Amino acid sequence: MSEAQVSKSEVSPSLVRGSEAWSVSEAKKIYNLPFNDLLFQAQTIHRRHFDPNSVQLSRLLSIKTGGCPEDCGYCSQSVHNPTGLKASKLMEVERVLAEARKAKAAGATRYCMGAAWRGPKDRDMDVIVAMVEGVRSLGMETCMTLGMLSPLQAEKLADAGLDYYNHNIDTSERFYSEIISTRTFADRLETLANVREAGIKVCAGGILGMGETTDDHIAMLVTLANLPVPPESVPINMLIPIPGSKLEAAAPVDPIDFIRAIALARILMPMTHVRLSAGRNDMSDEMQALCFFAGANSIFVGDTLLTADNPGEDHDARLFRRLGLKPMALDAAE
Ligand code: SF4
C-alpha cells in the first residue's frame, strides 16, 4: 500500500469530520495516486458505506427561471450573461406538485426545486414553504436551491420540513473570484452554516471545467470535507459551456481529472452521496461507469436540468441495465 492509502477515512471509517481536518497536501497525494490505486481505494471505501450497485435518483425542477442578478460566469440564468434565456415568474404550487408526482412515478426519491435568485425575498417564503410541505406530503425528500439564506429563512424552511438545501461553493477559494464577483466565497460558507444551524441537511459541490487547475479541484473538495460536518450530498458538475456566457469558450475538463475528483470526493467524504450532476449529456457511458466505480452514487434524472439538457430516462434506464445498477430506495438514500 502506498502511504497515501492510509487515509483518515480508511483508518477510521466512522470518523465524524471536525475532529481532524484534511490538509491539501494529504488530499493531493491521494488525488495523484496511480489511477487504478485511486479507484480501488475509492471503491473499497464506497463499499463500506453504500450498496455499490445502488444509485440515488433526484429530479430537479426550475421553479423560477432566469433574470438572476448574480454574475456567475457559467450560468445561463444570469442577467450578466446574454444567453437569450427568457425569465419567468415563480411557479404556482399546484404546478410544482404535479411535476413532483410525475417524478415520483418515474422513480425519483428526492425532488429538488431551484430558483434563480440572489436569495429568496421574504414575500416569497409562504409559497416556498407550501411547495416544501406539498412535496413532502407525496412521500419524497425535498431539496431547495434558492441562493443565499438568512438564519431566519433557513429556520422557516426547516420548520416546513425541508430535508436538504443546495448551495454550491462552485470552485476553490483561490479561483472563486474569477467566476463570480457579486458574492464572495465567505458568503457561500455563511449560507451553508445557516442551513446547518437550522438542522437542514447540506448539499454543496461545484463545477469542473471552468478554467481552474486540478489543484483547485482538490482545494474545493478539501473545503467541503473540512466543513464542521461535511455535506450529506456533494454534486460534482462538468461545465456545460453556454453560448453567450462568460465561460462559453472554456476548455473542457480532462475526463480522467474529472474521475479523479469523484474518487477524491468519495475518499474524503465516505458517507456522502456524491452526485454526478450537470454535464452527463456530454459524458460517454464508459466515463459515467468509471465515475460510478469511483464512488458517485447519485444522479439527476429527467430530460432537463434547470435550463440544460440531461440524458433522457430511456438512456439512463439502458445504462443502468448495462451496468447492473438499481435506483436507491428512499430509506437507503437517507
Ligand atoms: S445565483 Fe444561481 S441562478 Fe443566479 S447566476 Fe448564479 S448560478 Fe445562476
Side-chain angles (χ1 to χ4, degrees), residues 68-72 74-78 115-118 183 188:
C68 182
E70 301 296 289
D71 70 349
C72 310
Y74 51 82
C75 183
S76 62
Q77 307 199 63
S78 165
W117 284 329
R118 178 173 167 81
R183 56 182 156 179
R188 301 265 177 158

Side-chain angles (χ1 to χ4, degrees), residues 42 53 56 59 72 84 95 110 118 126 143 152 162 194 204 221 276 278 286 307 309 311 316:
N53 301 311
Q56 188 263 335
R59 185 80 172 233
C72 310
R95 235 183 104 200
R110 191 181 303 172
R118 178 173 167 81
D126 288 347
C143 179
L152 203 67
L162 184 70
N194 292 341
L221 293 171
L276 208 47
E286 294 79 4
T307 64
D309 288 341
D316 282 337

Side-chain angles (χ1 to χ4, degrees), residues 64-81 114-119 145-148 167-168 170 180 182-183 188 207 306:
K64 192 265 163 199
T65 305
C68 182
E70 301 296 289
D71 70 349
C72 310
Y74 51 82
C75 183
S76 62
Q77 307 199 63
S78 165
V79 293
H80 302 268
N81 290 327
W117 284 329
R118 178 173 167 81
T145 180
L146 312 170
M148 295 194 282
H167 197 61
N168 290 337
D170 286 351
I180 301 128
T182 48
R183 56 182 156 179
R188 301 265 177 158
I207 306 171
L306 295 178

Side-chain angles (χ1 to χ4, degrees), residues 97 132-140:
L97 298 187
V132 173
E133 290 173 345
V135 174
R136 281 203 106 216
S137 72
L138 301 176
M140 299 180 87

